[in-house]
């Protein structure tokens, strides 16, 4: 289906050869009983409707076609095109699945790269924060590198920070609820809560503690 092959466009002679063979073998028709204009019309339809179709595609469409011969009836353009239409539809479905898999793969690659970039940014900010004596990281940046320092604080300190994180989350959540209540829908602005999760607040407080203790960044 995806082998390299000559395009049908500008290759009318070979296309005609495939069509005439299919007519005789699959449809059981005699060439002397068919107007040559039929093949001309089918060729035009193939190159106009199936953009990018190749000689290999055309051969495949007839190779896998199941044709019901109709006795004593003239072969029409649509009958000759039907196996090609069926094959092309299947190829488009396969291509759709392939494109979907590629998109998912690219999304995963982009996500991994984005995470790496954010982690590098967080690292740079941590080092600068340590040098400048001021906390520069937000909750999301802190969450990227907090696990690197996970062994630097004992469990009792971690528990203390966790309680502070939960308390801060409740406080910020309440303040945000009050802000949303005061919002006038007539203003035409849509607002949402902008509160980091408890774990991200915990990560920021955790990193602040590491900075206060002067812990240097450890390569992971």
């Amino acid at each position: 289906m995806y082998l390299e092959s000559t395009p049908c466009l500008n290759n009318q002679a070979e296309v005609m050869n495939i069509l005439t063979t299919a007519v005789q073998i699959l449809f059981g028709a005699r060439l002397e009983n068919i107007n040559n204009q039929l093949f001309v019309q089918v060729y035009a339809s193939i190159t106009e409707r199936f953009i990018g179709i190749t000689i290999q595609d055309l051969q495949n469409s007839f190779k896998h076609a199941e044709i019901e011969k109709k006795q004593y009836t003239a072969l029409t353009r649509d009958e000759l095109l039907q196996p090609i239409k069926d094959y092309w539809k299947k190829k488009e479905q396969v291509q759709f699945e392939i494109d979907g898999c590629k998109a998912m793969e690219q999304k995963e690659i982009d996500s991994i790269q984005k995470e790496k970039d954010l982690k590098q940014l967080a690292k740079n900010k941590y080092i600068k924060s340590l040098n400048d004596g001021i906390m520069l990281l937000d909750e999301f940046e802190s969450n990227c590198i907090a696990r690197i320092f996970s062994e630097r604080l004992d469990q009792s300190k971690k528990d203390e920070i966790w309680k502070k994180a939960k308390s801060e989350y409740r406080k910020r959540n309440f303040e945000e609820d009050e802000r949303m209540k005061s919002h006038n829908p007539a203003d035409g602005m849509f607002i949402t809560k902008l509160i980091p999760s408890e774990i991200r607040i915990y990560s920021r407080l955790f990193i602040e503690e590491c900075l206060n203790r002067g812990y240097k960044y450890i390569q992971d």
Side-chain angles (χ1 to χ4, degrees), residues 6-210:
T6 305
C8 290
L9 185 64
N10 299 325
N11 200 3
Q12 186 170 354
E14 191 165 357
V15 171
M16 292 293 196
N17 183 52
I18 296 171
L19 293 177
T20 54
T21 301
V23 163
Q24 296 175 85
I25 297 176
L26 297 179
F27 291 90
R30 298 171 64 88
L31 291 180
E32 56 266 30
N33 296 331
I34 297 177
N35 190 318
N36 191 58
Q37 282 302 307
L38 173 68
F39 298 112
V40 175
Q41 291 178 3
V42 171
Y43 174 77
S45 296
I46 289 172
T47 54
E48 290 173 5
R49 295 166 60 177
F50 310 116
I51 306 301
I53 190 170
T54 67
I55 295 298
Q56 185 65 54
D57 288 326
L58 195 60
Q59 291 172 334
N60 289 343
S61 66
F62 289 115
K63 178 180 179 181
H64 302 290
E66 295 183 4
I67 306 297
E68 181 181 350
K69 295 182 180 180
K70 297 180 181 180
Q71 298 294 329
Y72 312 112
T73 58
L75 180 64
T76 66
R77 182 200 65 174
D78 289 343
E79 285 179 314
L80 190 50
L81 280 172
Q82 192 60 50
I84 306 171
K85 288 172 61 179
D86 293 340
Y87 171 84
W88 195 252
K89 184 177 180 180
K90 291 178 182 178
K91 184 172 182 177
E92 287 182 326
Q93 290 172 341
V94 171
Q95 188 61 52
F96 179 80
E97 294 295 330
I98 292 174
D99 291 343
C101 290
K102 287 183 178 179
M104 289 180 62
E105 182 180 355
Q106 187 60 50
K107 185 177 180 180
E108 183 176 352
I109 293 172
D110 292 343
S111 177
I112 293 172
Q113 185 59 50
K114 185 177 180 180
E115 184 177 351
K116 288 181 179 178
D117 293 342
L118 185 57
K119 192 172 183 179
Q120 183 61 44
L121 175 64
K123 172 186 174 180
N124 295 339
K125 281 193 173 184
Y126 183 90
I127 295 172
K128 184 171 176 55
S129 297
L130 191 61
N131 293 334
D132 295 351
I134 182 173
M135 176 64 169
L136 299 173
L137 295 86
D138 62 21
E139 284 85 0
F140 292 90
E141 294 161 346
S142 298
N143 193 57
C144 283
I145 60 172
R147 63 177 57 89
I148 295 174
F149 296 90
S150 61
E151 302 301 322
R152 305 302 294 273
L153 303 181
D154 58 37
Q155 191 58 48
S156 61
K157 190 61 180 179
K158 292 178 181 178
D159 292 341
E160 179 186 331
I161 294 174
W162 179 242
K163 289 180 181 178
K164 289 182 179 179
K166 293 177 69 174
S167 177
E168 180 178 326
Y169 176 81
R170 287 194 297 269
K171 179 175 182 294
R172 292 173 67 174
N173 193 55
F174 173 79
E175 292 173 346
E176 194 70 3
D177 285 340
E178 293 300 306
R179 182 180 74 88
M180 295 184 73
K181 287 179 183 178
S182 65
H183 171 66
N184 184 359
D187 294 339
M189 295 178 61
F190 178 77
I191 60 174
T192 57
K193 287 188 177 182
L194 303 174
I195 309 171
S197 64
E198 291 177 335
I199 189 63
R200 287 191 169 92
I201 294 175
Y202 169 81
S203 295
R204 193 203 77 236
L205 295 173
F206 189 98
I207 291 299
E208 285 179 350
E209 182 63 26
C210 291

